[in-house]
Every structure is written in C-alpha cells, then in structure tokens.
C-alpha cells in the first residue's frame, strides 16, 4: 500500500474572507478558489492537499505541529508576518521546505508591512502576484521535494 503524500496549505488571519476582503488589494479569488489552484498544481505528482485557515497564531502553530508528516508547506501568515514570533519558531522547526506567500506586494504598502519575521526561515518568499503566487509556490515545492 502506497502512503498518501500531502502538502500543507496554511493560511492565517482574515484570509478566510478572501473574495470579499478589500478585492482591490487581495483580488476576487476566494480561499476555496486558491485551494483548488494549489490542489490542481500538485495533483500531477499524486500529492494531496491539506488546507488549514485559522484566525489565531496558536491555532496555526497547532495545525503545523499536527502536519509534520507533510512533504512541504505553503504559508500565508497574513499580518502574523510582522510579529508572529511563535509561528516563526514553529516554522523554523518544521522539517520540510516551505514557501511564504502574500497576495499583495507588501513592500508597496504601509511601512509596517515591510519586514517579515518569517522570511528568514522560509525556503522562499513570493509576494504581489495574487493567487498566482500560491500556484508558483506549489511549483517550487514540486521542484524542491524529490520524487
């Protein structure tokens, strides 16, 4: 029997309301739309998607700890990129490659968004490409994780 290979898609606060939340900044795709895009990208390799969205840092950390069996992760921490030190420590300990993603170009926005405490421990960071960024992160993980 072949083990199911899974990839984690971890989304932080306020991302559950994508499609309705400031569409001029975040676009009109819903989180369900984005999950389907990622699912389609990894399906060719036979990977399954585990999608988690939580509003609090502690719940995101718990979800990450529960999914160390995944082969990699795509993480949009939302505003937790700014001061999510507990999430940063959990991601630093995560034993697989992971990509930080942001829908908007955080460096073209308010100054408080210009630094991510998570980025230094990520395998890569993709910003400003809308939902395409998630697809590109999935492609990056396909390249980073050996078959």
């Amino acid at each position: 029997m072949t083990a199911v290979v899974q990839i984690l898609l971890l989304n932080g606060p306020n991302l559950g309301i994508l499609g309705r939340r400031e569409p001029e900044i975040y676009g009109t795709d819903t989180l369900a739309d984005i999950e389907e895009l990622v699912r389609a990208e990894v399906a060719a390799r036979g990977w399954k998607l585990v999608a988690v969205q939580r509003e609090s840092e502690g719940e995101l950390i718990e979800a990450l700890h529960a999914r160390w069996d995944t082969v990699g992760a795509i993480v949009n921490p939302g505003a937790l990129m700014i001061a999510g030190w507990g999430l940063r420590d959990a991601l630093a300990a995560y034993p697989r490659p992971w990509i930080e993603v942001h829908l908007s170009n955080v460096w073209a926005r308010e100054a408080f968004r210009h630094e991510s405490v998570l980025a230094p421990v990520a395998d890569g960071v993709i910003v400003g490409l809308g939902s395409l960024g998630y697809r590109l992160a999935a492609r990056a993980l396909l390249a980073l994780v050996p078959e």
Side-chain angles (χ1 to χ4, degrees), residues 52-75:
V52 176
Q53 188 276 322
R54 298 291 184 267
E55 300 299 337
S56 73
E57 184 176 12
E59 290 177 314
L60 289 169
I61 293 167
E62 289 172 351
L64 181 64
H65 289 172
R67 290 299 179 177
W68 277 29
D69 59 340
T70 53
V71 297
I74 299 167
V75 180

Side-chain angles (χ1 to χ4, degrees), residues 20-132:
R20 298 178 289 151
R21 177 187 180 206
E22 301 176 272
E24 68 281 3
I25 295 173
Y26 300 106
T28 57
D29 286 340
T30 66
L31 191 53
D33 295 334
I34 291 169
E35 290 170 3
E36 192 50 44
L37 290 172
V38 174
R39 190 173 282 111
E41 284 294 328
V42 301
R45 178 133 2 138
W47 292 0
K48 302 296 180 191
L49 180 67
V50 176
V52 176
Q53 188 276 322
R54 298 291 184 267
E55 300 299 337
S56 73
E57 184 176 12
E59 290 177 314
L60 289 169
I61 293 167
E62 289 172 351
L64 181 64
H65 289 172
R67 290 299 179 177
W68 277 29
D69 59 340
T70 53
V71 297
I74 299 167
V75 180
N76 184 339
L80 291 173
M81 72 177 269
I82 300 163
W85 290 102
L87 181 58
R88 182 233 182 260
D89 288 349
L91 285 163
Y94 178 67
R96 307 283 184 261
W98 66 276
I99 310 294
E100 181 177 349
V101 174
H102 295 280
L103 292 159
S104 68
N105 180 350
V106 294
W107 291 282
R109 297 183 64 195
E110 305 91 345
F112 71 87
R113 298 183 194 274
H114 294 179
E115 185 175 343
S116 169
V117 300
L118 308 180
V121 297
D123 290 273
V125 179
I126 300 171
V127 302
L129 299 176
S131 59
L132 174 61

